[in-house]
């Protein structure tokens, strides 16, 4: 009887862990489309409750323990990331300002690239802000050239979310502000953020920052 109940619970647990394509955490578009973190947290809590029910003779206690355990199943892949790009100087202005040291620019040239967490530490459920600043010089009169950032957010236990955000189609001085919120089920500790700047899908530089979740 116990084996049959365990099999049924395991089947239900496995069905909860199936992630649909709409929920899969991958490369976000400009709108930050991704699976909803709360869906993962709820599924994790139910999964944990089922496991807890199997591991404790006292069903109530088992469900409570399992539910708390399942909440930790929430994944960084289910976090939606939004971005907002602002332009400080145009490509022509960057070329003009740096003419004495740049000379004639014949290929994409990265002059500076930094990534900074707006705060050193955050609470779970607080909005996290990452501020990237870049100065890119493209050849004068260059046609529209796609510039984008590829981001990797790594959790304290090594889980990684990778996503891409467009920055623009011409060089200049640009700022890209990322915002996202971690659900309560996420792990506390140090989170690493690696940014890679690409011009026409070719890496031209990278920057790193980190923040603490307490």
């Amino acid at each position: 009887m116990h084996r049959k109940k365990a099999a049924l619970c395991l089947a239900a647990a496995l069905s909860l862990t199936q992630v649909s394509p709409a929920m899969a955490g991958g490369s976000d578009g400009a709108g930050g489309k991704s699976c909803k973190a709360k869906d993962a947290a709820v599924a994790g809590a139910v999964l944990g409750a089922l496991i807890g029910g199997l591991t404790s003779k006292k069903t109530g206690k088992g469900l409570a323990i399992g539910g708390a355990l399942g909440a930790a199943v929430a994944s960084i892949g289910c976090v939606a990331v939004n971005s907002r790009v602002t332009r400080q100087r145009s490509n022509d202005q960057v070329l003009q300002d740096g003419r004495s040291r740049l000379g004639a620019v014949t290929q994409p040239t990265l002059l500076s690239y930094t990534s900074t967490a707006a705060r050193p530490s955050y609470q779970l459920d607080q909005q996290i802000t990452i501020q990237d600043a870049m100065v890119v010089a493209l050849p004068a009169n260059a046609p529209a050239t796609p510039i984008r950032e590829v981001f990797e957010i790594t959790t304290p236990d090594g889980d990684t979310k990778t996503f891409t955000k467009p920055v623009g189609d011409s060089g200049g001085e640009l700022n890209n502000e990322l915002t996202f919120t971690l659900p309560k089920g996420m792990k506390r500790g140090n989170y690493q953020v690696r940014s890679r700047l690409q011009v026409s899908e070719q890496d031209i530089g990278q920057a790193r920052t980190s923040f603490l979740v307490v």
Side-chain angles (χ1 to χ4, degrees), residues 105-122:
V105 174
T106 59
Q107 61 183 4
T109 303
L110 181 61
L111 302 179
S112 66
Y113 189 29
T114 60
S115 182
T116 308
R119 293 173 52 186
S121 64
Y122 294 89

Side-chain angles (χ1 to χ4, degrees), residues 29 76 108:
I76 187 69

